[in-house]
Amino acid sequence: MRTAEPTPIVVSGIGVTASIGQGRREFTDALLAGEHRFATMRRPGRQKPGAADDDAAAFIGAEIADLRVPDAIAAAKLRNLSWSAQVALATVHEAWEDAGLDAVDPRRIGLIVGGSNIQQRELALIQAKYRDQVEFLRPTHAMTFMDTDLCGVCSEVFGIRGLAITVGGASASGQLAAIQAIEAVRSGQVDVCIALGALMDLSFFECQAFRSLGAMGSDRFAREPGRACRPFDRDRDGFIFGEACGAIVVRRASDATRTPYAELKGWAMAWDANRNPNPSLEGETSAIRAALAMAGLPAEAIDYVNPHGTASTLGDETELAALRACGLDRAYLNATKSLVGHALSAAGMVELIAVMLQMQARRLHPSRNLDNPIDADLRWVGANGADHAIERALNMSMGFGGINTAICLQRG
Amino acid sequence: MTPEDVFTVIVGHTREVVPGLDDHAFQFTDSLRELGANSIDRSEVVMLTLESLSLKAPMIEFAKAENMGELATLLHARL
């Protein structure tokens, strides 16, 4: 069993972009107000060709309305960038400024991008456009089709020279990026590491497949998008997609130049030896227990849990069973996905950020559509939110292919 | 379409691809390289121009152009 790092690792910068708001302040305000932007999705390539707006089979989700790109990022840099890359740039910029990284040697700064196959909608649009005129395909497609283009783009714009790679763990990719960033700092590979949960840009192909698989809702609330996303509620029927991206700056507490958002006390990953989407109680409890052990904390020391909570029928039940099995049934609990949707590759990062922003606000955000919780005896934060100063939190992620991650945070 | 028309199309795409040329008075003798276009930018200018002209021709044919005027002439010859 690994033990906690003698020199604490902290989060000293945050950037976030989601449907409910761009930037820490806007996002926090919307989170605490319980806002949402669920609607029939309208970004080109998100609906099956020819699908009408009032089609009951249209895909529901939460999309980012208007992305504001900072003036510091020249317009020329945005040419030929995928939607995921544009959102990544804006989000990393916020985290970079927040942590004051201009003062750090760029050779000691790293970037871990969480997510694989994140630009599906862009690829679908390009393939549709050039199917019959492939001769005119942009030469730059050879660069932009790869997820690692985000590493290239961000490292060029910000001058990052220490490390720039992607990691993939399906819907746990965001947390996986955070964990790999922590490890990169802990090992001395870099002094500062940015972990990015990249925006997963689904096309209608992936939406259709997720629906066919039974993972994505909502047959039940096709005509009521605002009611479709309901993690842990008895009427849930699958996850609802949400566009989002988050970035954190991880460094040693001794190097931090500002009061950190949180100390990262413990983290763990566990694999189920399972290619399929089904959850594993054993895998989830294993990740939770290992993260708590590394943090040196008993379960009762955790006063808030931010669960994965996708609104999957079996996934939500398994997760609550894991929390109970680990003695976490006394902690407050809410569902960030009920407000922002399931951001897939970015989910774990956006939710980690939601934990820290709630810590800072000393308030817990509401859970939408949690009308009849599947385990009503847990300490749910319902429709009204709650005043509570989080001291120590646990955040979980799970992904297809049997990956489970957990991170313990303590107020900074 | 004249070579001058093709040149105008190239100029439009050059402004699109290479930043800071909005006010530049383009001449046939201008070199894309000297205007700040790297190899990827140059290939993109050529590809965008080919698409605008609906001209299906191998890009390699245009690599020998020494300046924008020669590029316009070579492209015009393939129309």
Side-chain angles (χ1 to χ4, degrees):
Chain A
M1 182 72 66
R2 294 186 301 183
T3 55
E5 165 74 17
T7 304
I9 303 286
V10 299
V11 175
S12 72
I14 289 177
V16 63
T17 307
S19 55
I20 59 170
Q22 180 179 355
R24 295 182 301 278
R25 176 168 297 182
E26 212 176 282
F27 180 76
T28 305
D29 289 349
L31 206 58
L32 297 179
E35 293 180 11
H36 80 92
R37 297 285 183 277
F38 294 108
T40 298
M41 293 197 283
R42 297 189 176 280
R43 202 173 298 292
R46 285 272 161 75
Q47 301 293 347
K48 285 171 273 191
D53 271 4
D54 61 350
D55 189 341
F59 301 119
I60 294 168
E63 298 178 313
I64 295 166
D66 296 298
L67 180 71
R68 297 185 301 277
V69 178
D71 293 339
I73 299 171
K77 296 282 186 194
L78 298 174
R79 285 197 71 256
N80 290 324
L81 291 192
S82 68
W83 176 230
S84 299
Q86 291 178 45
V87 177
L89 269 185
T91 308
V92 170
H93 181 268
E94 187 190 13
W96 182 279
E97 293 289 311
D98 192 26
L101 296 189
D102 279 340
V104 179
D105 179 352
R107 293 168 299 182
R108 302 298 301 157
I109 301 176
L111 169 69
I112 309 276
V113 174
S116 305
N117 311 111
I118 55 178
Q119 309 180 108
Q120 298 297 320
R121 188 186 59 88
E122 296 276 352
L123 299 180
L125 290 175
I126 288 169
Q127 287 161 10
K129 181 176 179 183
Y130 290 102
R131 180 166 292 118
D132 299 321
Q133 47 170 357
V134 71
E135 296 85 354
F136 299 137
L137 181 66
R138 300 282 182 281
T140 47
H141 181 63
M143 296 147 40
T144 58
F145 86 90
M146 291 187 251
D147 293 329
T148 46
D149 192 42
L150 268 68
C151 299
V153 166
C154 291
S155 63
E156 180 175 312
V157 167
F158 298 102
I160 297 164
R161 291 174 183 273
L163 171 75
I165 56 170
T166 62
V167 294
S171 294
S173 295
Q175 275 212 0
L176 188 59
I179 291 170
Q180 295 305 310
I182 296 167
E183 296 286 4
V185 170
R186 204 162 112 114
S187 70
Q189 188 175 8
V190 288
D191 293 333
V192 177
C193 200
I194 301 163
L196 177 81
L199 183 144
M200 172 62 84
D201 195 358
L202 296 183
S203 79
F204 67 88
F205 283 111
E206 291 73 46
C207 292
Q208 178 70 28
F210 277 130
R211 284 292 297 271
S212 303
L213 192 65
M216 181 187 272
S218 166
D219 290 326
R220 196 168 290 165
F221 297 100
R223 306 276 183 193
E224 301 171 275
R227 297 184 65 200
C229 190
R230 42 198 320 119
F232 303 111
D233 184 76
R234 292 193 184 282
D235 287 334
R236 72 197 183 284
D237 72 345
F239 82 79
I240 303 298
F241 173 62
E243 289 185 337
C245 177
I248 59 170
V249 175
V250 172
R251 64 199 313 179
R252 288 181 205 88
S254 52
D255 294 342
T257 54
R258 51 160 295 162
T259 305
Y261 289 97
E263 180 187 343
L264 300 165
K265 295 282 287 181
W267 52 92
M269 301 174 278
W271 284 269
D272 305 330
N274 176 20
R275 183 243 183 123
N276 293 305
N278 55 305
S280 158
L281 181 64
E282 184 187 352
E284 293 178 24
T285 54
S286 170
I288 294 168
R289 287 183 176 129
L292 288 172
M294 186 180 191
L297 294 171
E300 48 275 22
I302 302 293
D303 57 292
Y304 167 71
V305 172
N306 187 305
H308 186 57
T310 64
S312 145
T313 307
L314 185 57
D316 283 8
E317 284 177 5
T318 307
E319 185 168 16
L320 297 186
L323 293 178
R324 280 197 175 278
C326 293
L328 288 161
D329 49 325
R330 307 277 297 276
Y332 279 107
L333 201 63
N334 58 10
T336 303
K337 287 187 180 74
S338 70
L339 308 178
V340 302
H342 190 355
L344 298 158
S345 49
M349 179 58 67
V350 169
E351 288 147 23
L352 197 61
I353 288 168
V355 172
M356 291 184 279
L357 295 177
Q358 289 177 96
M359 266 181 181
Q360 196 175 49
R362 297 174 180 267
R363 187 164 173 81
L364 304 178
H365 73 68
S367 302
R368 294 190 70 258
N369 295 324
L370 188 58
D371 300 332
N372 295 294
I374 50 176
D375 185 342
D377 294 335
L378 290 170
R379 203 171 181 186
W380 295 107
V381 181
N384 298 319
D387 283 328
H388 175 72
I390 301 168
E391 289 300 327
R392 285 170 293 272
L394 182 87
N395 180 206
M396 297 159 66
S397 281
M398 277 76 85
F400 284 7
I403 181 169
N404 310 275
T405 61
I407 297 183
C408 282
L409 306 87
Q410 180 166 295
R411 174 184 291 282
Chain B
M1 184 173 258
T2 66
E4 286 73 18
D5 294 332
V6 174
F7 181 77
T8 302
V9 174
I10 297 170
V11 167
H13 289 310
T14 302
R15 286 198 167 115
E16 191 183 327
V17 171
V18 185
L21 295 176
D22 289 351
D23 300 323
H24 180 73
F26 283 88
Q27 306 289 326
F28 267 48
T29 50
D30 278 340
S31 146
L32 283 171
R33 188 195 307 264
E34 286 167 10
L35 289 173
N38 64 27
S39 62
I40 293 167
D41 296 336
R42 295 198 297 276
S43 66
E44 202 171 354
V45 169
V46 173
M47 187 57 80
L48 288 164
T49 306
L50 288 171
E51 186 174 4
S52 293
L53 300 174
S54 298
L55 177 58
K56 293 186 178 180
M59 292 237 304
I60 191 73
E61 286 187 18
F62 310 103
K64 61 187 175 190
E66 290 290 329
N67 57 43
M68 294 175 71
E70 285 185 22
L71 180 60
T73 305
L74 287 170
L75 285 162
H76 182 262
R78 286 298 305 264
L79 288 175

